[in-house]
Structure formats: structure tokens, C-alpha cells
Amino acid sequence: SLGLVGSEMCIRDRFCSYLFAIDLTEPSELNEKLIAQQLLIYYRGLASGRRDRNGDPIDTEAFSIKPTTLKRPLAKDESVYTLDWQEPFVNGSRQKMNLSVKLLTGRNEHGVVFICAAPQPFDSKVWSELIRVRTAFEAAPIKSPRPGK
């Protein structure tokens, strides 16, 4: 398992698209398979104990994730996935969640995994906004921690 510390930001649209950054707190050999496994664990955890619109428990074991190939990549050095899951917060319906994952180095000792997520197709307008925010994060100066922290 990875040592993770994360934060999340939601772009408010009718589909709940969002992005989050995860600080890697220990060295890790990230590869497509490991990233997919960790994403599946994350999304199963989000839905665990939740109920669908009929009041039935969400079957998180039915969730699956697969790497996706885009005709036109969103950005250099990213991996993209499609998650088949049951959305647990708004309506409990099945949906395909598209995910873009990029490892950013130089932000901390072990790197930051930056994940953009939206159920809309990768060529939709919201993806331009998600990638714009990620690019701004990449370009932002790194603040040094305060002494003693």
C-alpha cells in the first residue's frame, strides 16, 4: 500500500467533477497496475456503507477499473482510467467515472499524485478546466515548511 496524504477540490457542475492531490509519504514504484488498484480501493472506500436510491447497500465488489487510451492525450506523462462504479453521494446510480492521473515530482520528497475525475467524456469542457487547475498546481511555487513543523 502507498503512504498517502490527500486533499480534494470539487468543480461544481451537475455531474460533480473534482480533482485531488495525494502526497506520497514513502517511496513507491508507481505503475499503471498499482495506480488502478489503489484507485479502486479509494472508490470502494468512498462507497462502503452507503446505500443506493432504493435503500440497498452498494455492492463495492462490483466496481471495476481499467486503463483507457485516448486518441488525443489530455497532457504529457499521464495515465487515464475508466472506473465503473455506483455513485454513493447524490443519486446512487451506476456511472462511468473518467480519471486522469499524473505523478508530479519535485513537490515533496516522494512526489504527488494528482487525480482529475469526471463522469463526462474526456473531450468535454469540464476536462479543460480540470487540466487547467492541475497545470496551475504544477506551476505554483513550492512553499517551504515552517521551521519545527
Side-chain angles (χ1 to χ4, degrees):
S1 102
L2 300 174
L4 306 174
V5 176
S7 61
E8 189 170 313
M9 178 189 126
C10 185
I11 293 179
R12 297 194 184 276
D13 60 14
R14 64 188 190 109
F15 292 106
C16 193
S17 301
Y18 55 96
L19 46 94
F20 55 104
I22 300 170
D23 283 332
L24 298 176
T25 58
E26 55 189 59
S28 180
E29 291 295 323
L30 292 178
N31 59 53
E32 197 170 78
K33 184 177 179 181
L34 179 60
I35 291 170
Q37 289 171 342
Q38 294 297 314
L39 287 170
L40 195 54
I41 290 168
Y42 173 80
Y43 280 97
R44 284 179 172 161
L46 284 180
S48 179
R50 301 290 220 163
R51 298 193 175 272
D52 66 15
R53 61 181 150 204
N54 298 322
D56 297 322
I58 292 177
D59 179 11
T60 60
E61 290 304 311
F63 294 7
S64 64
I65 191 166
K66 64 180 181 177
T68 303
T69 303
L70 301 178
K71 291 180 184 174
R72 196 178 109 224
L74 299 169
K76 184 180 173 189
D77 298 328
E78 74 176 340
S79 298
V80 291
Y81 303 87
T82 300
L83 172 73
D84 184 4
W85 79 318
Q86 194 165 351
E87 188 284 319
F89 302 111
V90 178
N91 60 22
S93 64
R94 300 286 305 175
Q95 77 174 197
K96 303 278 188 196
M97 178 67 77
N98 292 311
L99 304 160
S100 168
V101 179
K102 187 170 183 182
L103 176 63
L104 308 176
T105 57
R107 307 282 316 167
N108 68 11
E109 185 179 355
H110 304 295
V112 174
V113 178
F114 205 97
I115 302 162
C116 302
Q120 299 94 324
F122 284 108
D123 60 357
S124 67
K125 184 178 178 184
V126 73
W127 279 98
S128 297
E129 181 65 10
L130 288 167
I131 300 305
R132 185 194 66 73
V133 172
R134 181 176 69 195
T135 302
F137 178 84
E138 285 181 84
I142 300 170
K143 294 182 180 177
S144 298
R146 287 183 247 160
K149 298 276 179 178

